[in-house]
Amino acid sequence: MLHLGEKIVIVADVFEQNLPVGEYGYLIAYDRNPDNVFDYIIRIPQANRNFFVTDKDIEPEENVLRFEAEQIERAALIDYALATHNEKLFHQVMNGEIEAAESESEAEASAKEEPMSQAEFIKRINLRAWI
């Protein structure tokens, strides 16, 4: 659920009300009428109007910006893979495997940073000394 005063972006026009898709606005009220299909009332300063909208019509600005950044990052990785002839990276990006590889490397890094017990430390030192 969105908060009052939150900056939003209109991403769709489900009921074809001539909403200015792509424009920024602010959530000014919840529509609590059970007989009404609309969820929110928003204010679009550029249009100088209030609109009744559904939950599907709007997204918080933060989510829209995050999505755009992910799209730009993905396009940049594809361009880099093509420029360097890195076929493995290209297939990872195209198949969506790049996020899984990043999360695995983060898990390995956190596992290395965990402190080990004194017995494990001595065991490792003895193994290295023996080799």
Side-chain angles (χ1 to χ4, degrees), residues 1-7 26-30 32 40-41:
M1 180 165 241
L2 303 173
H3 303 289
L4 290 178
E6 188 169 353
K7 192 170 185 180
Y26 297 93
L27 184 68
I28 60 172
Y30 301 111
R32 303 236 186 246
Y40 304 109
I41 301 170

Side-chain angles (χ1 to χ4, degrees), residues 59-88:
E59 281 287 325
E61 179 188 32
E62 180 180 315
N63 293 354
V64 173
L65 293 177
R66 184 179 302 122
F67 177 75
E68 289 295 325
E70 288 172 0
Q71 293 298 319
I72 292 170
E73 178 184 10
R74 184 171 185 259
L77 282 173
I78 290 172
D79 289 344
Y80 176 76
L82 291 173
T84 59
H85 304 290
N86 189 342
E87 186 176 343
K88 182 180 176 185

